[in-house]
Amino acid sequence: MTDDSATDTGLDTQLPRISEPLEDLARLAFDHAEALCAPQDRCVNYHRFWSLLRVLDMDGRLPRGGPFLSQNFRDIAPQTGRLRVLLAGAADTGVPALILNTVLDAGLAPELTVIDRCRTPLSQIGRFSEMCGLQITTEHGPLWDCTETGFDAVVTHNVMLFNTDGDRKRIYAMAARVLRPGGRLLSIETLCDSFTPRPPEKTEEMTASFVARMRGKGLPENELARLGEAAKAFWSRQNRAEVYPEARLREHVAGAGLRLRRLDYQADDEPTSPRVLSSPKSRQLRAFVASERPA
């Protein structure tokens, strides 16, 4: 299949072999994000609520991309039986859990490193590593400052829209630098030509709907007030950096010296989760992109 083909990439994730202790991790972020998130990063409203939203309103399911990662991990599996993966950017433990389970399902032993500029998800990942019994190395800093090299795969998952175009170039250059020859950059990203701020009335509507669902689950009123406040702050945030059209992605891949192997689309036209519902109304497509460092 050529890199221009558009197919159904299979977004349903299999039942995980390693489960996140998500309620504990969500409480960690909800209670400590204000102290852990750096004010200049403007991420506290996101990190404080995201894991809790997954617990309360998304059945704790893992992020999308299992089949895409699985096929690529199998393609590049070293003879050693161990797969070294770098995750550049993490909202919480969801994508790390997805990677670990996908590597294990491929019959490989995972060696996972996560780099992020925010200490909140890194704290969650550290706790998750202790509880699941698998070593996860964490690095705190910009996504392009990874100090390790020789990775079989670098993964990005919905981070490019939250970085400027200049920082995107740095992330691609970092991937090219840290990958072994023949290693792959596996990107699950939202591409769009435009996006618009969410109107305040839409935020109010989404917040009221969320609180009503939580009330229907029997949560006490005093807890609903705190949840409603956090939900409104989460859906009010406007921290996308710049639009990201396909042409720019192709330029970034080529500019980093990587070879584009495959680019598939899955449209987010039908809202299936609060995460999709929280997106501003715009033309956007989920892209599954495999780029390879030449051997």
Side-chain angles (χ1 to χ4, degrees), residues 23-269:
E23 290 190 14
D24 290 342
L25 298 173
R27 178 57 61 181
L28 184 157
F30 192 74
D31 290 342
H32 299 290
E34 290 188 12
L36 293 169
C37 292
Q40 64 269 22
D41 292 336
R42 298 183 296 117
C43 58
V44 63
N45 290 335
Y46 181 85
H47 286 139
R48 182 172 182 242
F49 190 65
W50 172 238
S51 297
L52 201 59
L53 183 65
R54 289 181 60 215
V55 170
L56 295 174
D57 220 18
M58 300 175 68
D59 300 321
R61 62 181 175 272
L62 294 180
R64 304 179 183 200
F68 166 74
L69 294 177
S70 179
Q71 182 59 59
N72 281 280
F73 288 163
R74 292 174 189 273
D75 287 348
I76 62 175
Q79 292 184 347
T80 61
R82 304 191 69 83
L83 196 76
R84 296 191 66 221
V85 181
L86 170 67
L87 173 61
D92 65 355
T93 56
V95 178
L98 174 67
I99 290 172
L100 291 174
N101 282 296
T102 305
V103 173
L104 291 170
D105 287 342
L108 301 165
E111 293 185 6
L112 178 61
T113 297
V114 183
I115 184 167
D116 200 277
R117 66 183 181 181
C118 183
R119 295 188 184 278
T120 299
L122 295 181
S123 296
Q124 291 178 295
I125 291 165
R127 179 82 60 86
F128 174 49
S129 176
E130 295 173 0
M131 300 179 81
C132 76
L134 286 176
Q135 177 64 40
I136 304 174
T137 301
T138 58
E139 289 196 25
H140 177 241
L143 302 188
W144 50 88
D145 274 359
C146 181
T147 59
E148 296 185 53
T149 59
F151 288 99
D152 301 299
V154 174
V155 176
T156 71
H157 199 295
N158 203 39
V159 301
M160 293 303 177
L161 276 184
F162 303 99
N163 283 274
T164 65
D165 210 53
D167 287 348
R168 292 167 189 160
K169 292 178 183 178
R170 294 182 181 93
I171 295 169
Y172 282 92
M174 176 277 294
R177 174 177 58 83
V178 305
L179 282 170
R180 65 163 172 81
R184 293 184 187 177
L185 169 61
L186 305 175
S187 306
I188 303 170
E189 298 290 345
T190 300
L191 301 185
C192 64
D193 297 313
S194 66
F195 54 78
T196 56
R198 183 180 302 109
E201 58 269 20
K202 181 63 176 177
T203 297
E204 295 289 349
E205 175 189 335
M206 294 169 65
T207 302
S209 177
F210 170 77
V211 171
R213 290 195 298 275
M214 296 306 101
R215 182 175 288 112
K217 292 184 177 183
L219 272 66
E221 289 298 323
N222 60 336
E223 190 71 13
L224 288 175
R226 295 182 68 209
L227 289 176
E229 177 186 355
K232 183 176 180 179
F234 176 83
W235 280 309
S236 296
R237 77 195 195 287
Q238 305 290 347
N239 56 350
R240 291 185 170 189
E242 299 179 30
V243 297
Y244 199 33
E246 179 185 318
R248 293 300 290 147
L249 180 146
R250 288 179 177 272
E251 289 176 17
H252 290 154
V253 170
L258 300 170
R259 181 172 67 91
L260 186 62
R261 292 184 55 93
R262 181 165 179 164
L263 192 159
D264 294 331
Y265 280 124
Q266 174 68 40
D268 272 345
D269 293 332

